[in-house]
Amino acid sequence: MALQPCLLSPDVKAGTGRRFLSLFLPDWPTDYLKRREPELSTPLALYEKIKGGLQLAAIDTEAAKRGLRVGQSVADARALVPRLAIRELDRPMLENAFASFADWHSNASPLVSVLTDITPYGDLILDITGVPHLFGGEKIMLSMMISRLRQVGYTVSGAIAPTIGAAWAVSHFVGNRIVTPKTMVTLLDSLPIPALRLGRDQIAALTQMGLLTIGQVRQRPRKPLQARFGASFLIRLDQAYGEIEERMTPRLPVVEHFVERRFHEPISQLDDVLAAARELAQKLCAALETDGLGAQTFHLFLYRVDHKVMTLSLNAARLTRDPQHIASLFHHRAQRFEVEEFDPGFGIDMVRLAASSLDRLDVAQLGAFETENGAADIDRLTDRLTSRLGPTAVLKVELVESHIPERAARLAPAVVAETESPLSRPRPRRPLRLLPMPELVRINAEVPDGLPASMIWRRQPYRLIKGAGPERLGAEWWRKRERLQLVEEVEPEELEPGEKAKQPPYVAALPLHDPEASTRDYYLVEDTDGRRFWVFRQGFYDGDLPPAWYLHGFFP
């Protein structure tokens, strides 16, 4: 039960090519339902409503042996097989179940994707580049992946090849085989046209032309094929042979640093999971320290023996590689995780700890003259509270780009992964305390645009002896009455000979705002007792309406 760090093998680092494993589960809908509901009898068929009729959408192996086929009407199917078990097909449920099934396969490779070119479920692709040496080679890995699925009742075939297209084609039309770069071209040439993952119309048209194998298609000129079948046809062809790279979209976040532990006997207690997490944290932090990195986001993957995976993720307030701190965060989070019905199923046979949001974290040497400011302790406290109470229970004030003071800050989760740098421009001086809403006051000024001389707030008079200002704050440009003119309008008589008229300007559908009503003149004033207030005037004296004065905040 030793810890197993997932590292790339030397041949991958040398760049000898990629390897992909394809798993094809043709009877996934019926196999999944029979595992979910063991009382279902066979043969089993699933139907769906199409054009007002009921047609078979999926059948199991036993139903296929008795002559049933997909697309057949339910009435005909019942006539052929009177004891046929029939259920309605629930596509969203099957898609979600297959997505969780795909996530579970990340215990073999962290890069797992669902291919939805033909059906939304039934095809899995794993990027196993550099992984087979952990299992004893590609042959043993492929045999293990297929055998463990067959043992639980799934019909499956698989293949390993240098490209995604080749692996998919071989798993569908050949069966369990390992394809090398030397044998890939010959094998693909012998496969039928549908092995290229083409549309039905394209396959029918190629068949009418007498093209039955991929090798026959490759012998034809490319330009006529592209003109008739489109560029997508040639892209599929080149992707299968490795002329064009086909990229997969992993379902789980890609992490560069992770460690895992496999158990000979499945575990089911939460304490055992947390103990494994502590050991994995030691191993992970040692690897991060070797690379001079720290992480802010950590993921704990729990792989159950019933082909499901549970994920537990958390963030730290700052970059860290302290194993004790990471383990304590998962311990606090587990208290809520247990309330949310921690369900190990039939047991957990593997635990993986991964780190993301990585950045440089140099080693800090503590000396006798170092001053401890307590910032690290506050961050640890914030992490513990967030992991125990939830990410939205602990908030912090976050600055926002806005000229209006009440819009210049908002509450945000205190612990989140850093995605953007904080505002770098200098911030103007602002009071420590702002009123929830500016309150109306009465102000007397020596001259209309001069400094305030006295103020009445909440029926209490204040004599003002000092003041500074004004600081004029206006509405943001995107809130002004004027709309952006992206193209300048030109009158026809102003056009030069032969010059075309420009397109009319684009008018954004933004709400209009009165720029005068949004303009404020802020003053910092001080009364005879030394109290300092932040007041502003809304509007102008020369306007149609008299201006209004408001108290907005207090300076210390």
Side-chain angles (χ1 to χ4, degrees):
M1 294 191 296
L3 303 180
Q4 298 182 6
C6 289
L7 305 174
L8 293 180
S9 59
D11 58 339
V12 176
K13 294 181 180 180
T16 57
R18 308 199 67 82
R19 302 292 286 174
F20 297 93
L21 187 152
S22 173
L23 293 176
F24 172 46
L25 295 96
D27 300 332
W28 157 260
T30 55
D31 290 345
Y32 174 75
L33 289 180
K34 285 189 288 187
R35 290 193 70 250
R36 184 181 179 184
E37 304 176 24
E39 67 276 6
L40 282 177
S41 60
T42 56
L44 174 65
L46 305 180
Y47 72 90
E48 61 182 350
K49 298 178 181 179
I50 298 178
K51 296 181 180 180
L54 303 181
Q55 295 183 1
L56 298 186
I59 58 176
D60 64 358
T61 305
E62 187 64 25
K65 291 180 180 179
R66 299 194 182 188
L68 300 185
R69 56 180 175 79
V70 175
Q72 194 173 21
S73 66
V74 173
D76 294 343
R78 285 189 181 276
L80 291 175
V81 185
R83 296 184 178 181
L84 180 66
I86 297 183
R87 290 286 189 90
E88 185 175 2
L89 181 71
D90 188 348
R91 290 189 179 274
M93 183 272 292
L94 291 174
E95 292 178 16
N96 293 332
F98 192 76
S100 300
F101 177 78
D103 294 341
W104 179 82
H105 281 80
S106 61
N107 60 6
S109 172
L111 302 178
V112 182
S113 178
V114 177
L115 284 187
T116 58
D117 302 298
I118 305 301
T119 59
Y121 41 76
D123 291 315
L124 285 182
I125 286 292
L126 287 75
D127 188 342
I128 61 170
T129 309
V131 175
H133 74 282
L134 300 175
F135 298 87
E138 291 184 350
K139 184 177 181 180
I140 298 177
M141 182 179 182
L142 179 61
S143 177
M144 183 205 70
M145 298 286 289
I146 294 175
S147 61
R148 69 180 183 180
L149 292 178
R150 287 179 177 175
Q151 289 174 1
V152 294
Y154 286 112
T155 303
V156 59
S157 62
I160 297 178
T163 65
I164 295 177
W168 186 92
V170 175
S171 65
H172 277 248
F173 295 91
V174 178
N176 307 324
R177 182 174 296 188
I178 297 177
V179 183
T180 63
K182 295 181 180 179
T183 61
M184 183 181 69
V185 175
T186 303
L187 183 58
L188 286 178
D189 286 345
S190 63
L191 296 182
I193 295 298
L196 290 176
R197 289 180 292 162
L198 303 176
R200 294 182 179 179
D201 296 338
Q202 292 175 322
I203 295 175
L206 289 169
T207 304
Q208 292 177 356
M209 294 174 59
L211 303 177
L212 303 179
T213 64
I214 301 177
Q216 294 175 344
V217 175
R218 294 183 66 212
Q219 297 175 0
R220 293 297 187 97
R222 294 174 62 92
K223 288 187 178 179
L225 292 175
Q226 180 177 356
R228 181 166 182 177
F229 301 103
S232 61
F233 170 75
L234 295 181
I235 291 176
R236 285 297 186 205
L237 185 64
D238 293 338
Q239 287 176 343
Y241 286 87
E243 300 295 334
I244 296 178
E245 181 183 4
E246 181 178 2
R247 297 184 179 181
M248 58 184 294
T249 304
R251 280 192 43 81
L252 297 179
V254 180
V255 292
E256 298 179 1
H257 287 74
F258 62 91
V259 291
E260 61 188 27
R261 178 174 179 177
R262 301 176 186 269
F263 301 96
H264 296 298
E265 293 293 335
I267 61 175
S268 57
Q269 298 296 323
L270 185 58
D271 292 339
D272 296 335
V273 173
L274 295 177
R278 285 194 295 270
E279 297 180 15
L280 292 174
Q282 295 280 352
K283 190 74 173 181
L284 179 63
C285 292
L288 293 175
E289 185 176 3
T290 301
D291 296 338
L293 298 174
Q296 196 174 356
T297 305
F298 300 91
H299 314 273
L300 189 65
F301 301 98
L302 309 179
Y303 293 89
R304 295 168 24 174
V305 297
D306 56 352
H307 303 87
K308 294 183 179 180
V309 59
M310 295 182 293
T311 305
L312 187 61
S313 301
L314 52 82
N315 293 320
R318 62 168 63 182
L319 293 172
T320 182
R321 55 170 179 258
D322 182 0
Q324 299 298 330
H325 182 54
I326 298 171
S328 66
L329 294 183
F330 281 108
H331 177 75
H332 294 310
R333 176 64 63 86
Q335 296 180 0
R336 291 194 305 116
F337 192 63
E338 189 174 12
V339 175
E340 297 171 359
E341 297 182 357
F342 168 75
D343 183 14
F346 294 102
I348 298 170
D349 59 358
M350 196 186 87
V351 177
R352 174 181 292 168
L353 179 61
S356 60
S357 300
L358 305 175
D359 204 348
R360 296 294 305 176
L361 183 61
D362 297 329
V363 178
Q365 182 177 357
L366 300 180
F369 300 99
E370 182 173 341
T371 302
E372 180 63 41
N373 58 8
D377 294 336
I378 294 177
D379 288 337
R380 293 190 186 96
L381 175 62
T382 303
D383 290 344
R384 291 195 298 269
L385 292 175
T386 301
S387 61
R388 175 173 293 184
L389 303 177
T392 59
V394 184
L395 305 177
K396 66 178 180 180
V397 177
E398 184 179 69
L399 298 181
V400 180
E401 285 284 4
S402 178
H403 304 309
I404 309 303
E406 57 266 28
R407 296 176 184 164
R410 64 185 175 191
L411 292 178
V415 178
V416 293
E418 292 291 344
T419 57
E420 298 181 357
S421 58
L423 301 180
S424 58
R425 67 178 181 85
R427 305 292 298 180
R429 187 182 180 187
R430 291 291 180 260
L432 293 180
R433 294 174 54 199
L434 285 179
L435 292 172
M437 293 291 294
E439 296 187 10
L440 189 66
V441 296
R442 294 179 60 186
I443 291 287
N444 291 325
E446 297 179 356
V447 294
D449 293 329
L451 295 176
S454 64
M455 177 181 69
I456 299 178
W457 174 51
R458 296 181 179 178
R459 300 182 181 180
Q460 180 69 30
Y462 298 88
R463 182 170 176 269
L464 307 177
I465 58 175
K466 296 180 181 179
E471 176 189 359
R472 178 160 294 179
L473 299 181
E476 293 87 349
W477 59 267
W478 59 88
R479 297 178 183 273
K480 290 184 178 179
R481 180 182 295 275
E482 298 83 10
R483 291 193 172 106
L484 287 179
Q485 302 292 326
L486 300 185
V487 180
E488 182 182 1
E489 293 183 288
V490 180
E491 297 297 334
E493 58 270 19
E494 298 179 3
L495 295 177
E496 298 293 335
E499 185 179 359
K500 295 182 179 180
K502 296 183 179 181
Q503 297 292 332
Y506 169 76
V507 179
L510 297 176
L512 295 177
H513 290 264
D514 188 356
E516 293 186 0
S518 300
T519 302
R520 304 176 182 179
D521 286 342
Y522 276 87
Y523 295 85
L524 169 60
V525 295
E526 182 177 337
D527 69 350
T528 54
D529 295 332
R531 291 169 294 201
R532 296 189 294 177
F533 307 94
W534 203 39
V535 298
F536 69 87
R537 184 184 69 238
Q538 182 90 30
F540 302 99
Y541 283 102
D542 56 356
D544 296 335
L545 298 176
W549 287 85
Y550 295 88
L551 174 63
H552 203 168
F554 309 90
F555 282 92

